[in-house]
């Protein structure tokens, strides 16, 4: 009986140890992946901020968690992009073919709006006369914004990127930078 108990206990302990090791490895992979997302997203955003001379953004895990929840929701509901409501955070949304774009390319799609940007008082900030044509870009370079957090989810053949910003930008009557 003792030998059987010892064998079961050893087997159980080995299983627990393997489970903990696997969970630790998975957790390490998630942390490394999140760190990679954070680094790439910050670099992509801060490139545009540097061009206009505003301080770089810092990463916020709180904003990233909020963004991830909304990205998951959008992906689970058909991938249609719609802004969340009443978050008190700025928000940029992006959607594209699953696996076809790097994080940098996703952010660069917002950065391309700078070709229509006119430095002025919001909402008079677009050469087209429509601030929506530059709204993602202005949120990225908004001087008073100090932190960003992003999340990516996949659903319906699309990658969905949500970035959240604090304090939010695009305030009527304020200068962008």
């Amino acid at each position: 009986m003792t030998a059987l108990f010892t064998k079961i206990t050893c087997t159980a302990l080995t299983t627990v140890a393997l489970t903990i090791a696997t969970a630790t490895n998975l957790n390490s992979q998630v942390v490394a992946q999140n760190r990679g997302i954070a680094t790439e997203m910050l670099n992509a955003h801060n490139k545009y901020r540097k061009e206009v001379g505003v301080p770089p953004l810092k990463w916020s895990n709180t904003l990233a968690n909020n963004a991830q929840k909304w990205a998951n929701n959008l992906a689970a509901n058909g991938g249609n992009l719609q802004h969340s409501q009443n978050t008190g955070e700025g928000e940029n949304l992006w959607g594209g073919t699953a696996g076809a774009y790097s994080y940098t390319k996703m952010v660069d799609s917002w950065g391309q709006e700078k070709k229509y940007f006119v430095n002025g008082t919001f909402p008079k900030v677009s050469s087209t006369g429509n601030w929506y044509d530059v709204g993602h870009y202005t949120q990225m370079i908004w001087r008073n914004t100090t932190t960003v957090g992003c999340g990516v989810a996949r659903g319906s053949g699309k990658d969905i990127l949500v970035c959240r910003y604090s304090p939010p930008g695009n305030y009527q009557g304020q200068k962008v930078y």
Side-chain angles (χ1 to χ4, degrees), residues 11-152:
T11 302
L13 288 175
T14 302
T15 302
V16 168
L18 286 173
T19 301
I20 290 170
T22 302
T24 301
N25 287 340
L26 288 175
N27 189 40
S28 296
Q29 290 171 352
V30 168
V31 168
Q33 180 183 358
N34 289 345
R35 190 176 304 124
I37 290 171
T39 300
E40 191 170 344
M41 289 294 180
L42 277 174
N43 289 341
H45 278 81
N46 287 332
K47 172 181 76 171
Y48 293 101
R49 293 178 68 84
K50 185 176 182 179
E51 289 174 356
V52 297
V54 295
L57 295 173
K58 292 183 178 8
W59 188 258
S60 164
N61 287 329
T62 299
L63 292 174
N65 288 335
N66 294 345
Q68 187 63 59
K69 287 175 189 173
W70 190 245
N72 292 346
N73 178 63
L74 294 175
N77 290 298
N80 294 322
L81 300 182
Q82 56 185 356
H83 286 284
S84 57
Q85 301 297 314
N86 303 316
T87 65
E89 301 166 348
E91 183 178 70
N92 278 351
L93 305 176
W94 179 93
T97 304
Y101 300 90
S102 69
Y103 302 133
T104 299
K105 291 290 184 194
M106 293 174 185
V107 172
D108 284 345
S109 71
W110 298 329
Q112 290 174 9
E113 295 175 0
K114 73 180 179 180
K115 65 185 167 195
Y116 302 115
F117 176 71
V118 175
N119 190 14
T121 302
F122 196 83
K124 296 179 181 176
V125 292
S126 176
S127 63
T128 67
N130 185 351
W131 75 266
Y132 290 104
D133 294 335
V134 297
H136 300 102
Y137 176 70
T138 55
Q139 175 56 84
M140 288 195 312
I141 64 167
W142 198 264
R143 176 176 291 283
N144 295 334
T145 298
T146 58
T147 56
V148 64
C150 303
V152 178

